[in-house]
Amino acid sequence: MSPTPSAVALIGLGKMGANMARRLARGGVTVHGYDTAAETRQALSAEYAQITAHDSLVSAISALPQPRLVWLMLPAGEISEQTLNTILPLLSAGDVVIDGANAYYKDSQARAARLRALGIGFVDAGVSGGVWGGDNGYTIMLGGHEADIARVRPLVEVLAPAADRGWLHCGPNGAGHYVKMVHNGIEYGMMQAFAEGFALMEAKQDLNLDLAAVSEVWRHGSVIRSWLLDLTADTLQQDTTLSDIQPKVPDSGEGRWTVLEAVELGVPAPVISNALFMRFASQGKHDYASKLLAMMRKAFGGHAVGKA
Amino acid sequence: MSPTPSAVALIGLGKMGANMARRLARGGVTVHGYDTAAETRQALSAEYAQITAHDSLVSAISALPQPRLVWLMLPAGEISEQTLNTILPLLSAGDVVIDGANAYYKDSQARAARLRALGIGFVDAGVSGGVWGGDNGYTIMLGGHEADIARVRPLVEVLAPAADRGWLHCGPNGAGHYVKMVHNGIEYGMMQAFAEGFALMEAKQDLNLDLAAVSEVWRHGSVIRSWLLDLTADTLQQDTTLSDIQPKVPDSGEGRWTVLEAVELGVPAPVISNALFMRFASQGKHDYASKLLAMMRKAFGGHAVGKA
Amino acid sequence: MSPTPSAVALIGLGKMGANMARRLARGGVTVHGYDTAAETRQALSAEYAQITAHDSLVSAISALPQPRLVWLMLPAGEISEQTLNTILPLLSAGDVVIDGANAYYKDSQARAARLRALGIGFVDAGVSGGVWGGDNGYTIMLGGHEADIARVRPLVEVLAPAADRGWLHCGPNGAGHYVKMVHNGIEYGMMQAFAEGFALMEAKQDLNLDLAAVSEVWRHGSVIRSWLLDLTADTLQQDTTLSDIQPKVPDSGEGRWTVLEAVELGVPAPVISNALFMRFASQGKHDYASKLLAMMRKAFGGHAVGKA
Amino acid sequence: MSPTPSAVALIGLGKMGANMARRLARGGVTVHGYDTAAETRQALSAEYAQITAHDSLVSAISALPQPRLVWLMLPAGEISEQTLNTILPLLSAGDVVIDGANAYYKDSQARAARLRALGIGFVDAGVSGGVWGGDNGYTIMLGGHEADIARVRPLVEVLAPAADRGWLHCGPNGAGHYVKMVHNGIEYGMMQAFAEGFALMEAKQDLNLDLAAVSEVWRHGSVIRSWLLDLTADTLQQDTTLSDIQPKVPDSGEGRWTVLEAVELGVPAPVISNALFMRFASQGKHDYASKLLAMMRKAFGGHAVGKA
């Protein structure tokens, strides 16, 4: 196990960032966190002596000993050239920036090149584990130069479920976010597979199946046992009707990027793509197509069309 | 060209049946039609001297010279054992029943066997052409014994766009409805392909495309020119926004049977199947799955879920 | 925990049946097994005093005390009317037949009705866990009457991972095989999701990803951790190239039945269906379609077509 | 109808370009063609007095009166910055470059901006009609400034099936190639729909369907009548077995770009995407996934795996 680094700046203390700060603090790391939300800052600072929550990027980064480790944990899409433009003047050659949010791996590769030109290291870190990672540890997928990974390793050994497993130096820059992208693409497919299966059981009304009980029994010995099933069982235990839930599923960039990659590589990805498309449909993005289909049926067959 | 038969009983004078009656009458066939709707009967009888619209099955069938030709043109699903049970006692050996509605080819095969045992012929007839077939002629796909087809041929030569084309003896009983089923499966895929394409153009707002003009230009020389495109162009000419149309697309048996057949034969049919599934989704049948997906995202990532 | 029954006849000692016999024997159940393979019989009899392997159905069933429990564990599709016809004369009112193989739930419902008329109980039992279930325990999904389930319960408590979990009385006859069918449908989707993801990484050659290491790291803390991932990691640990493996994936009835059910219920199942279709394609069942597509491209665009 | 322009340089005299040169020549346009293949040049020059085939870009472009019209008809992907770099020094402000090949609309927008800065017009022209367009006329979809379209119009009126139809100024630069992209995406879906349908009939061996006859009958009156069906009927008339055709379907950029666009706009395109994926699969790009699926089945179920 590597020696624990003295300190890291953790930029973004949202759902993921805050739990990571806690896990790092418990692992003996000094965390200089930054977030725009005052209550988040106060709560975290109060919880752990090892966490100092700052109200400015300058303050957080300046508090670090050199060479610095700056871990960005901003919501997907918010790490922009503008954010980097703010941070970069505060850094020096030898510092290492880690982007732990979801980002398109090609963007990460471009960012790595840009920072490298300034002598600053860049590590793209895919982080999985959701809101449970603070307790269970996170799976961490890293892309970057060997030397930069070595710098980041002590943090990662604390964040992962154990020092010797649950994290991987996947390859050069971009590899971390690439593997995370694929991970999430698989996640889309798995989720949709479960959703289809439970929907089939829900619709088979004459068998009157208890979906909560079914989800629970599958957790023990079945081929499809998985963490997603565990979570699904928890959900169904509370309510199987889902009657007050809106049937609308957002999508973030990861599923989309996976499909772009399938197209670019010429590799079939029907399951991941169709899982993504069903989310689009749930957002009402198939409505125009459906309207046109209804009108076509009317045009050739005289079939009735409903009014919106 | 075969000699025109003296008469046929046409059971069912709905959108399809009425236009077929008209086309048969214009072709010199005596039509004894049957329908439950009085105004339909009166209108047709008034239009053509060759059409007599009856208010009972007995009356329509009894009016025929023997051996009889009875063409069923009932809405899909309404030809049941019960309907046949009503008709069969009115028929004699040597008569031929044609089922021109959409039916599952296995059901047609079973019906053919049942009638054959009584010495009555059975022809399964797939009829395509929609509400325009009365003017343009219908494509007719026939399944049955050679001798029964010979009996039906004079009718079919009138119904088709021309005596020598647009109709086919596809094979033994079931073959007519099988080929019609596949025809409609292809139709589902083509319709969805067009719908997706127009939806992509509608969503690409910065190009401000005129969908009516695009649909029109494609009609002249493009690879995708087709009758469905002609109809789509007509529709879009009237309104491209479709703003008052309900985004809900019914499905009838044909698409479903095609997918069952793909599964039974082990032949991939992703396009036809996904076209069918998007119709199901438009009917709200993916809502439970979407709700569960939203709840899974909440469970692992703490993502917000909308209330219904 | 229910009292252990004295004995069961286990018909079929293949991969699944043999391991189930062992687990039952270890749990104190007397097993009268039947299989056509002499070496299988000898091996099992030698292993466990509680197992007697018979070379005839009559012998196995006659060895049971009444009322009897007869558990069928024949490969999918082999339980036919013929098999039941052989067994039924050997049984008496009060006996219970359990079908633990994969079967279409509608067939199971018909069988239950047939046996019920003879006073013989029938339980459809979906069994999941694969070749590992002997050690880990099986997930068991049961359909049938309360009284029959009560009879079967002591066996199931031994076969499941624990007496109080991993088995479920899902509902009336058919419910056990229905839930197992959906389980396997989900399994198809999950497997395809993983396969697509790993294929994307394999094709992304410039990142030179170590797929074995990636599959391993995902096992610790990621959202997609699952037993299928554990098995995939084992496989990739031995060989990531899969260069000597034939790219052909068989399918059994379960995936097909799930798609039939989706069609019958009108519920979208694009992920499960497309997973099935990719298996069909791997079996060469898309070849005719591909040939026709190549010829169409030639027809409109003059594109070259390869010779087989 | 606009006055016919005196001359155009047509860069690229391949399958599409040569036929376009012929149609332009027949329409009274002076064509200065360029191609690297000597026999193509000689053949075209010999055929039409209005066609002069040059062996260098400089020669072809220099032969034009100013302001010039230069129509690029290079195979997809070959119009690169390098090609433009060669041509641009030969052009002057006021000239107009038309790109009639398939190109990603975003690339076309970038090229338009680049040329605009030099005072040179740019029109992106989607051209559909395949090898038959020379006789039937081409559908032409144009993107660009009003003034540039006016310059190009006389050419387009000759190339289209008629002066007043079959061509459209779709919108600003990029719109022509966008609409062509969507056109081809729809084409992918339609082709796959037909391919699936015929594959289902081919696999249904007990009905012994004559696929050539079926394709022919559908041409007359059916809902799916279309030019693609006409071509398919021609193909099947010659051979329905396709036994000596390689089951491999190439894909060019258009289908891929359509899927990228669906992802970018968040619009479901399951039919177009799955049609693309089946082409990828026919190219062997699902093989790794299939191998891994086979190994997973072995891992959990002990199922046999074939050797490559």
Side-chain angles (χ1 to χ4, degrees):
Chain A
M1 183 158 170
S2 311
T4 302
S6 46
V8 62
L10 187 57
I11 311 303
L13 301 171
K15 278 183 307 235
M16 289 288 282
N19 281 339
M20 289 171 69
R22 292 183 180 99
R23 189 169 176 93
L24 287 166
R26 286 197 301 272
V29 181
T30 299
V31 178
H32 289 281
Y34 163 73
D35 200 89
T36 52
E39 54 190 332
T40 299
R41 292 196 305 268
Q42 286 155 8
L44 274 174
S45 297
E47 268 184 67
Y48 288 95
Q50 293 91 334
I51 302 179
T52 310
H54 300 255
D55 61 359
S56 81
L57 279 169
V58 177
S59 164
I61 290 174
S62 306
L64 290 177
Q66 288 186 266
R68 303 176 186 89
L69 285 175
V70 179
W71 191 299
L72 304 176
M73 210 61 213
L74 299 163
E78 290 195 20
I79 168 167
S80 60
E81 298 315 305
Q82 195 183 355
T83 315
L84 272 183
N85 286 347
T86 308
I87 292 172
L88 284 185
L90 309 172
L91 302 183
S92 316
D95 293 348
V96 174
V97 173
I98 305 106
D99 184 10
N102 288 337
Y104 191 31
Y105 76 96
K106 293 185 182 182
D107 292 336
S108 299
Q109 289 175 327
R111 289 187 186 115
R114 180 180 173 201
L115 269 65
R116 192 87 48 211
L118 304 170
I120 300 172
F122 182 86
V123 172
D124 48 289
V127 179
S128 180
V131 290
W132 304 79
D135 291 334
N136 300 343
Y138 300 90
T139 304
I140 300 189
M141 300 147 260
L142 303 171
H145 286 207
E146 201 60 75
D148 296 334
I149 300 297
R151 293 281 313 286
V152 173
R153 183 172 175 165
L155 299 175
V156 165
E157 290 180 342
V158 169
L159 289 169
D164 63 350
R165 63 172 189 275
W167 69 272
L168 181 70
H169 179 196
C170 299
N173 276 120
H177 279 156
Y178 192 91
V179 171
K180 177 56 160 51
M181 172 194 82
V182 172
H183 167 279
N184 283 34
I186 294 170
E187 179 190 298
Y188 273 57
M190 286 177 65
M191 288 173 69
Q192 177 71 20
F194 276 116
E196 291 178 8
F198 282 100
L200 287 173
M201 293 189 290
E202 195 264 347
K204 185 66 179 170
Q205 297 182 346
D206 60 335
L207 291 181
N208 197 24
L209 301 167
D210 177 346
L211 301 198
V214 169
S215 63
E216 177 59 26
V217 78
W218 284 347
R219 296 181 60 221
H220 306 286
S222 89
V223 173
I224 61 175
R225 61 190 189 260
S226 55
W227 191 55
L228 276 168
L229 177 61
D230 296 343
L231 297 174
T232 302
D234 284 347
T235 288
L236 293 171
Q237 232 75 52
Q238 295 159 42
D239 173 27
T240 61
T241 69
L242 308 179
S243 53
D244 63 341
I245 305 299
Q246 196 186 12
K248 189 171 177 177
V249 195
D251 75 284
S252 57
E254 300 279 318
R256 298 186 182 212
W257 299 326
T258 310
V259 178
L260 297 187
E261 194 63 22
V263 170
E264 191 165 321
L265 293 174
V267 169
V271 155
I272 296 174
S273 302
N274 283 292
L276 179 65
F277 290 148
M278 293 318 280
R279 294 199 182 187
F280 290 169
S282 81
Q283 298 161 20
K285 301 300 285 287
H286 195 260
D287 284 0
Y288 188 81
S290 291
K291 292 173 175 192
L292 191 55
L293 288 165
M295 289 302 288
M296 283 188 212
R297 292 183 83 244
K298 181 183 177 190
F300 69 73
H303 302 292
V305 167
K307 290 294 166 184
Chain B
M1 182 159 173
S2 309
T4 303
S6 46
V8 63
L10 188 57
I11 310 303
L13 300 171
K15 276 182 310 231
M16 290 288 282
N19 282 338
M20 288 170 70
R22 291 184 182 99
R23 189 170 177 92
L24 287 166
R26 285 195 303 273
V29 180
T30 299
V31 177
H32 289 281
Y34 164 72
D35 201 90
T36 53
E39 54 191 331
T40 299
R41 293 197 304 269
Q42 286 155 6
L44 275 175
S45 297
E47 268 183 67
Y48 289 95
Q50 293 90 337
I51 303 180
T52 310
H54 301 253
D55 61 359
S56 80
L57 279 169
V58 176
S59 165
I61 290 174
S62 305
L64 289 177
Q66 287 186 266
R68 304 176 187 89
L69 286 174
V70 179
W71 190 301
L72 305 176
M73 209 60 214
L74 300 163
E78 291 196 18
I79 168 167
S80 58
E81 298 317 304
Q82 194 182 355
T83 315
L84 273 182
N85 287 346
T86 308
I87 291 172
L88 285 184
L90 309 173
L91 302 182
S92 316
D95 293 346
V96 175
V97 174
I98 306 107
D99 183 10
N102 289 337
Y104 191 31
Y105 77 97
K106 293 185 182 182
D107 292 337
S108 299
Q109 290 175 328
R111 289 187 185 116
R114 180 181 173 200
L115 269 64
R116 191 90 45 213
L118 304 171
I120 301 172
F122 183 87
V123 171
D124 48 288
V127 179
S128 180
V131 289
W132 303 79
D135 292 334
N136 301 343
Y138 301 89
T139 305
I140 301 191
M141 300 146 260
L142 304 170
H145 286 207
E146 200 60 74
D148 295 334
I149 301 296
R151 293 279 316 284
V152 173
R153 183 171 174 167
L155 299 176
V156 164
E157 289 180 341
V158 169
L159 289 169
D164 63 348
R165 62 173 189 276
W167 69 273
L168 181 69
H169 180 197
C170 299
N173 275 121
H177 280 157
Y178 192 91
V179 171
K180 177 56 161 50
M181 172 195 82
V182 171
H183 167 280
N184 282 36
I186 294 171
E187 179 190 297
Y188 273 58
M190 284 178 65
M191 287 173 69
Q192 177 71 20
F194 276 116
E196 292 178 6
F198 281 99
L200 287 173
M201 292 190 291
E202 195 263 348
K204 185 65 179 171
Q205 299 184 344
D206 59 336
L207 290 182
N208 197 26
L209 300 168
D210 177 345
L211 301 200
V214 169
S215 64
E216 176 60 27
V217 77
W218 283 346
R219 298 181 59 221
H220 306 285
S222 88
V223 173
I224 61 176
R225 61 189 190 262
S226 55
W227 191 55
L228 276 168
L229 177 61
D230 296 343
L231 297 174
T232 303
D234 283 348
T235 288
L236 293 171
Q237 232 74 52
Q238 295 158 42
D239 172 27
T240 61
T241 67
L242 307 179
S243 54
D244 64 341
I245 306 300
Q246 196 186 13
K248 188 170 177 176
V249 195
D251 74 285
S252 56
E254 301 277 317
R256 297 186 182 211
W257 298 327
T258 311
V259 178
L260 298 187
E261 194 63 23
V263 169
E264 191 165 320
L265 294 173
V267 169
V271 155
I272 295 174
S273 302
N274 283 291
L276 179 66
F277 291 148
M278 294 317 280
R279 293 198 184 187
F280 291 169
S282 81
Q283 298 161 19
K285 302 299 286 288
H286 195 260
D287 284 0
Y288 189 81
S290 292
K291 291 173 176 193
L292 191 56
L293 288 165
M295 289 301 289
M296 284 187 209
R297 293 183 82 242
K298 181 182 177 189
F300 69 73
H303 302 292
V305 167
K307 289 294 167 186
Chain C
M1 184 160 169
S2 311
T4 302
S6 46
V8 64
L10 187 58
I11 310 303
L13 301 171
K15 279 183 306 235
M16 289 288 283
N19 282 338
M20 289 169 69
R22 291 183 181 99
R23 189 169 177 92
L24 287 166
R26 285 197 302 272
V29 180
T30 299
V31 178
H32 289 281
Y34 163 73
D35 201 272
T36 53
E39 53 191 333
T40 299
R41 292 197 304 268
Q42 287 156 7
L44 274 175
S45 298
E47 267 183 67
Y48 289 95
Q50 293 90 336
I51 303 180
T52 310
H54 300 255
D55 61 359
S56 80
L57 279 168
V58 176
S59 165
I61 290 174
S62 307
L64 289 177
Q66 285 186 268
R68 303 177 187 90
L69 285 174
V70 179
W71 190 299
L72 305 176
M73 209 61 213
L74 298 163
E78 291 194 18
I79 168 168
S80 59
E81 298 316 304
Q82 196 183 355
T83 315
L84 273 182
N85 287 345
T86 308
I87 291 172
L88 285 185
L90 308 174
L91 301 183
S92 317
D95 293 347
V96 174
V97 173
I98 306 106
D99 184 8
N102 289 336
Y104 191 30
Y105 78 96
K106 293 185 182 182
D107 292 338
S108 299
Q109 290 175 328
R111 289 188 185 113
R114 181 182 174 200
L115 270 64
R116 190 90 45 211
L118 303 171
I120 300 172
F122 183 86
V123 172
D124 47 289
V127 180
S128 181
V131 291
W132 304 79
D135 290 335
N136 300 344
Y138 301 91
T139 304
I140 301 190
M141 299 147 260
L142 303 171
H145 286 207
E146 199 61 74
D148 296 334
I149 301 295
R151 293 281 314 283
V152 173
R153 182 171 174 166
L155 298 175
V156 165
E157 290 180 341
V158 169
L159 289 169
D164 61 349
R165 63 172 187 275
W167 69 272
L168 181 69
H169 180 196
C170 299
N173 275 120
H177 280 157
Y178 191 91
V179 171
K180 177 57 160 51
M181 173 194 83
V182 171
H183 167 279
N184 282 34
I186 294 171
E187 179 189 298
Y188 273 59
M190 284 178 65
M191 287 173 70
Q192 178 70 21
F194 276 117
E196 292 178 8
F198 281 100
L200 287 173
M201 293 190 290
E202 195 263 349
K204 184 66 180 170
Q205 298 184 344
D206 60 335
L207 291 181
N208 198 26
L209 301 167
D210 177 346
L211 301 199
V214 169
S215 63
E216 176 59 27
V217 77
W218 284 347
R219 297 180 59 221
H220 307 284
S222 89
V223 173
I224 61 175
R225 62 189 189 261
S226 54
W227 191 55
L228 276 168
L229 177 62
D230 296 343
L231 297 173
T232 302
D234 282 349
T235 288
L236 292 171
Q237 232 74 53
Q238 295 158 43
D239 173 27
T240 62
T241 69
L242 307 179
S243 53
D244 64 341
I245 304 300
Q246 197 186 9
K248 190 171 175 176
V249 195
D251 75 284
S252 57
E254 300 278 319
R256 298 186 182 211
W257 299 326
T258 311
V259 178
L260 297 188
E261 194 63 23
V263 169
E264 193 165 319
L265 294 174
V267 169
V271 155
I272 295 173
S273 302
N274 283 291
L276 179 67
F277 290 147
M278 294 316 281
R279 293 198 184 188
F280 289 169
S282 81
Q283 298 162 19
K285 302 299 286 290
H286 195 260
D287 284 0
Y288 188 81
S290 292
K291 291 173 175 193
L292 192 56
L293 288 166
M295 289 301 289
M296 284 187 212
R297 292 183 82 244
K298 181 183 178 190
F300 69 73
H303 302 292
V305 167
K307 289 294 166 186
Chain D
M1 184 158 171
S2 310
T4 303
S6 45
V8 64
L10 187 57
I11 310 302
L13 300 171
K15 277 183 308 235
M16 289 289 282
N19 281 339
M20 288 171 69
R22 291 184 182 99
R23 189 169 177 91
L24 287 166
R26 285 197 302 273
V29 180
T30 300
V31 178
H32 290 280
Y34 164 73
D35 201 90
T36 53
E39 53 191 333
T40 299
R41 292 196 305 268
Q42 287 155 7
L44 274 175
S45 297
E47 267 183 67
Y48 289 94
Q50 293 90 335
I51 302 179
T52 311
H54 299 255
D55 62 359
S56 80
L57 279 169
V58 176
S59 165
I61 289 174
S62 306
L64 290 176
Q66 286 186 266
R68 303 176 187 88
L69 286 174
V70 179
W71 190 300
L72 305 176
M73 210 60 214
L74 299 163
E78 289 195 21
I79 169 166
S80 58
E81 298 316 306
Q82 195 182 356
T83 315
L84 273 182
N85 287 347
T86 308
I87 291 172
L88 285 185
L90 308 173
L91 302 182
S92 316
D95 293 347
V96 174
V97 173
I98 306 105
D99 184 10
N102 289 337
Y104 191 30
Y105 76 97
K106 293 185 183 182
D107 292 337
S108 298
Q109 290 175 327
R111 286 185 188 117
R114 180 180 174 202
L115 269 65
R116 193 87 47 209
L118 303 170
I120 300 172
F122 183 87
V123 172
D124 48 290
V127 179
S128 181
V131 291
W132 303 79
D135 291 335
N136 300 344
Y138 300 91
T139 304
I140 301 190
M141 300 145 260
L142 304 171
H145 286 206
E146 201 60 75
D148 295 335
I149 300 296
R151 292 281 314 286
V152 173
R153 183 171 174 167
L155 299 175
V156 164
E157 289 181 341
V158 169
L159 289 169
D164 62 349
R165 63 172 187 272
W167 70 271
L168 182 68
H169 179 196
C170 299
N173 275 121
H177 279 155
Y178 191 90
V179 171
K180 177 57 160 50
M181 172 195 83
V182 172
H183 167 279
N184 282 34
I186 294 171
E187 179 189 298
Y188 273 59
M190 285 178 65
M191 289 173 68
Q192 178 70 22
F194 276 117
E196 291 178 7
F198 282 100
L200 287 173
M201 293 190 289
E202 196 263 347
K204 184 66 178 169
Q205 297 183 345
D206 59 336
L207 291 182
N208 197 26
L209 301 167
D210 177 344
L211 302 199
V214 169
S215 64
E216 176 60 25
V217 78
W218 284 345
R219 295 180 61 221
H220 306 287
S222 89
V223 173
I224 62 175
R225 60 190 190 261
S226 55
W227 191 55
L228 277 167
L229 177 62
D230 296 343
L231 297 174
T232 302
D234 283 349
T235 288
L236 293 171
Q237 232 75 53
Q238 296 158 43
D239 172 27
T240 62
T241 68
L242 307 180
S243 54
D244 63 340
I245 305 299
Q246 196 186 11
K248 188 171 175 176
V249 196
D251 74 284
S252 57
E254 300 278 318
R256 299 187 181 210
W257 299 326
T258 310
V259 178
L260 297 188
E261 195 63 23
V263 169
E264 193 165 319
L265 293 174
V267 169
V271 155
I272 296 174
S273 302
N274 283 291
L276 179 66
F277 291 147
M278 294 316 281
R279 294 198 183 188
F280 290 170
S282 80
Q283 298 162 18
K285 302 300 285 289
H286 195 260
D287 284 0
Y288 188 81
S290 292
K291 292 174 174 190
L292 191 56
L293 288 165
M295 289 301 288
M296 283 187 212
R297 292 183 84 243
K298 181 182 177 189
F300 69 73
H303 302 293
V305 167
K307 288 294 168 184

